[in-house]
Amino acid sequence: AQSVAQPEDQVNVAEGNPLTVKCTYSVSGNPYLFWYVQYPNRGLQFLLKYITGDNLVKGSYGFEAEFNKSQTSFHLKKPSALVSDSALYFCAVRDPLYTGTASKLTFGTGTRLQVTL
Amino acid sequence: DVKVTQSSRYLVKRTGEKVFLECVQDMDHENMFWYRQDPGLGLRLIYFSYDVKMKEKGDIPEGYSVSREKKERFSLILESASTNQTSMYLCASTSSIWEQYFGPGTRLTVT
């Protein structure tokens, strides 16, 4: 079965500094990977996805993610963090064995990003 | 913009009560999902539906059932609520195999 791991419960970074939120995955076949963000008292919002092609994927709000097949990682990055980026971030992988039209996702446990002045 | 709404933001129920959580989407999406979110466990899929009256079990269906009588509405039912079902419940919908759109969530407390 597929899985994702987010090894850090919380990441702290100063505003203006680069940030990285880590994600590693385990899946049979080609991975389809996603990042979602959850702001306080809100549902999840889609940030970006990797399907195939360029290993550097650009998404919303200036975020990008780097796919590394040899390390089975899909780390989320941003060159310059903002206080407003403080939120809960989830990595997810699509079940490659599910052939239906529904996108059955497996989520990680989440990483809380805290950006301070 | 896609809008996914959930009937309640906060709900308090007693053990043994039957609980209905409603989710409505306005984008004619075929697929709808129910997750529960718990600290340290992330999101776990309870049930999903890929068409009206069609449903499939997710990873943690025990103690839950679902109903999809209309395309825009997907209901999660707790037949007899228990304290271990205290959680945040998130509904999502999608028309593709990629991005899911989430509602704001219902925080359910079972006492």
Side-chain angles (χ1 to χ4, degrees), chain A residues 11-61:
Chain A
V11 170
N12 298 306
V13 64
E15 187 173 60
N17 285 358
L19 70 87
T20 299
V21 182
K22 295 179 180 177
C23 172
T24 58
Y25 66 89
S26 174
V27 65
S28 301
N30 294 323
Y32 300 137
L33 297 159
F34 304 80
W35 277 101
Y36 283 80
V37 60
Q38 185 178 36
Y39 298 102
N41 299 315
R42 304 274 295 274
L44 275 69
Q45 296 178 33
F46 171 80
L47 271 181
L48 50 79
K49 65 178 182 285
Y50 171 82
I51 304 171
T52 186
D54 196 346
N55 289 343
L56 188 64
V57 179
K58 293 193 183 296
S60 306
Y61 312 122

Side-chain angles (χ1 to χ4, degrees), chain B residues 42-103:
Chain B
L43 273 74
R44 293 178 291 166
L45 182 63
I46 304 171
Y47 267 98
F48 64 101
S49 167
Y50 50 91
D51 203 348
V52 175
K53 297 190 186 295
M54 307 303 287
K55 61 187 180 185
E56 281 197 35
K57 293 179 180 179
D59 300 318
I60 51 164
E62 297 79 18
Y64 303 94
S65 62
V66 290
S67 172
R68 193 160 180 209
E69 297 296 321
K70 293 185 177 181
K71 193 174 186 179
E72 68 270 18
R73 188 179 298 269
F74 191 35
S75 302
L76 180 69
I77 303 155
L78 288 66
E79 295 289 342
S80 178
S82 63
T83 54
N84 62 14
Q85 293 178 309
T86 291
S87 186
M88 169 71 85
Y89 290 88
L90 294 171
C91 175
S93 73
T94 184
S95 63
S96 74
I97 60 172
W98 308 123
E99 178 180 352
Q100 293 186 13
Y101 297 87
F102 283 82

Side-chain angles (χ1 to χ4, degrees), chain B residues 7-24:
Chain B
S7 51
S8 305
R9 294 299 303 272
Y10 300 93
L11 208 54
V12 180
K13 295 291 182 181
R14 293 188 181 275
T15 302
E17 277 194 83
K18 190 169 186 176
V19 182
F20 293 86
L21 302 182
E22 304 285 336
C23 175
V24 177

